[in-house]
């Protein structure tokens, strides 16, 4: 992760996103200034940031802390604590878990929120901000926490979730060294099967630990001749080029829970209270 926690200029966010997109192995974290105290102001600030990318995450709300020098309350960017939630979540849980919400997104050291959208009356405003890819720090039920798990991607697909982004980074960083360990080995059917059985426990673990619902490894691992290749072809294999098509079904974070309450008059069961 990279960030300029106390900077909020759109040009900096655009540059940070460009760097993250070029790297592809990290994400840029951007702060929307604390002067944006209304939904309208925050949406305008987001619109000024011409970024449509899964490589950037935008945050706002600000937090109140005690100045260690003056002992006075001051208002600062929330990004330092956002990154703290990220690191704590990845160490204590898994890299593909969301670091927002009341379990992993709590910010215990803050005295308050600068621009709080956590009250029930601002539920719709909070949704509007989420739809604009703005993640907020809020105070809800006397708990200061990070609310929102969205990248700055505009498209409404599963890559909009930051925890899915983190899973993607984890997969690439974990599998690349393993696959590179087979370079210069004979490019034939025993190798394809060996690679599959090497990575299978790792992928099975992702299912067990709620990273993916399921996966599909298509690497001709069960092929026995050039005639029954499905993913690769004889020409590429003859040039030492082996390809794997790995399909995964990531597990996103829960975004809503609907409770339907039905009121019934009377009861089919008679209760006789004892005295």
């Amino acid at each position: 992760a990279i960030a300029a926690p106390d900077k909020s200029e759109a040009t900096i966010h655009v540059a940070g996103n460009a760097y993250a997109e070029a790297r592809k192995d990290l994400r840029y974290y951007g702060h929307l200034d604390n002067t944006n105290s209304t939904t309208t102001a925050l949406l305008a600030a987001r619109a000024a940031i011409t970024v449509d990318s899964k490589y950037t995450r935008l945050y706002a709300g600000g937090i109140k802390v005690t100045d260690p020098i003056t002992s006075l309350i001051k208002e600062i960017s929330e990004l330092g604590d956002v990154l703290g939630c990220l690191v704590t979540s990845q160490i204590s849980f898994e890299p593909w878990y969301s670091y927002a919400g009341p379990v992993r997104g709590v910010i215990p050291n803050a005295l308050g929120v600068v621009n709080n959208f956590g009250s029930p009356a601002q539920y719709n405003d909070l949704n509007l901000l989420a739809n604009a890819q703005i993640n907020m720090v809020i105070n809800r039920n006397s708990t200061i926490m990070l609310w929102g798990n969205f990248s700055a991607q505009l498209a409404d697909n599963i890559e909009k979730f930051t925890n899915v982004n983190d899973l993607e980074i984890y997969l690439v960083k974990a599998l690349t060294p393993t696959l590179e360990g087979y370079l210069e080995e004979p490019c034939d059917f025993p190798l394809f099967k060996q690679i599959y059985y090497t990575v299978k426990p790792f992928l099975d673990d992702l299912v067990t630990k709620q990273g993916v619902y399921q996966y599909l490894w298509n690497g001709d691992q069960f092929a026995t001749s050039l005639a029954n290749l499905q993913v690769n072809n004889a020409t590429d294999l003859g040039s030492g080029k082996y390809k794997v098509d790995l399909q995964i079904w990531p597990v996103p974070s829960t975004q809503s829970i609907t409770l339907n309450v039905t009121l019934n008059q009377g009861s089919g069961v008679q209760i006789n209270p004892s005295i």
Side-chain angles (χ1 to χ4, degrees):
I2 59 170
D6 60 345
K7 303 297 182 182
S8 56
E9 293 88 341
T11 52
I12 291 180
H13 297 331
V14 172
N17 176 74
Y19 178 76
E21 283 194 333
R23 286 271 307 248
K24 300 192 186 321
D25 64 345
L26 50 73
R27 297 296 185 262
Y28 171 74
Y29 287 69
H31 164 64
L32 303 185
D33 198 80
N34 291 347
T35 58
N36 298 305
S37 59
T38 66
T39 304
T40 301
L42 285 167
L43 293 176
R46 169 63 180 104
I49 304 169
T50 55
V51 168
D52 174 10
S53 172
K54 67 180 182 181
Y55 294 97
T56 286
R57 302 168 183 184
L58 299 173
Y59 297 86
I63 60 172
K64 298 178 181 179
V65 297
T66 301
D67 190 308
I69 298 176
T70 65
S71 297
L72 299 176
I73 296 177
K74 68 176 183 178
E75 299 176 351
I76 65 172
S77 165
E78 70 290 324
L79 276 193
D81 288 274
V82 169
L83 295 176
C85 290
L86 167 70
V87 173
T88 301
S89 176
Q90 294 198 352
I91 291 175
S92 301
F93 294 88
E94 301 293 348
W96 50 86
Y97 277 39
S98 169
Y99 49 91
V103 176
R104 289 172 293 277
V106 175
I107 302 175
N109 63 317
L111 301 177
V113 177
V114 179
N115 301 305
N116 184 33
F117 286 80
S119 69
Q122 293 179 293
Y123 180 82
N124 291 333
D125 290 318
L126 201 57
N127 279 341
L128 284 174
L129 295 173
N131 289 332
Q133 307 85 42
I134 303 174
N135 305 295
M136 300 295 296
V137 169
I138 65 171
N139 188 336
R140 174 167 292 181
N141 300 324
S142 300
T143 300
I144 298 173
M145 71 184 90
L146 174 60
W147 197 264
N149 177 37
F150 301 103
S151 70
Q153 171 185 290
L154 300 181
D156 187 16
N157 59 45
I158 200 164
E159 281 193 306
K160 70 181 181 180
F161 295 111
T162 60
N163 74 295
V164 174
N165 285 182
D166 291 336
L167 170 67
E168 185 178 9
I169 292 177
Y170 179 78
L171 271 173
V172 172
K173 287 192 171 184
L175 290 178
T176 297
T178 299
L179 297 179
E180 288 182 346
Y182 291 98
L183 293 176
E184 301 300 338
E185 293 301 297
C187 189
D188 62 358
F189 306 113
L191 177 74
F192 308 158
K193 182 174 292 187
Q194 182 181 2
I195 291 176
Y196 169 68
Y197 282 114
T198 298
V199 302
K200 187 177 185 301
F202 168 80
L203 295 172
D204 288 341
D205 196 50
L206 289 181
V207 177
T208 301
K209 294 182 177 177
Q210 300 173 286
V212 300
Y213 291 111
Q214 62 185 41
Y215 69 88
L216 186 61
W217 178 278
N218 292 320
D220 292 314
Q221 62 270 22
F222 300 121
T224 56
S225 69
L226 296 176
N228 55 20
L229 291 171
Q230 296 181 350
V231 176
N232 295 274
N233 59 70
T235 300
D236 286 343
L237 293 183
S239 299
K241 299 177 181 178
Y242 172 59
K243 179 174 64 177
V244 176
D245 175 22
L246 172 61
Q247 299 182 36
I248 61 171
W249 285 259
V251 178
S253 62
T254 303
Q255 296 300 302
S256 67
I257 299 176
T258 301
L259 173 65
N260 294 319
V261 178
T262 301
L263 301 180
N264 296 306
Q265 185 173 349
S267 172
V269 178
Q270 183 176 357
I271 301 176
N272 296 315
S274 59
I275 300 176

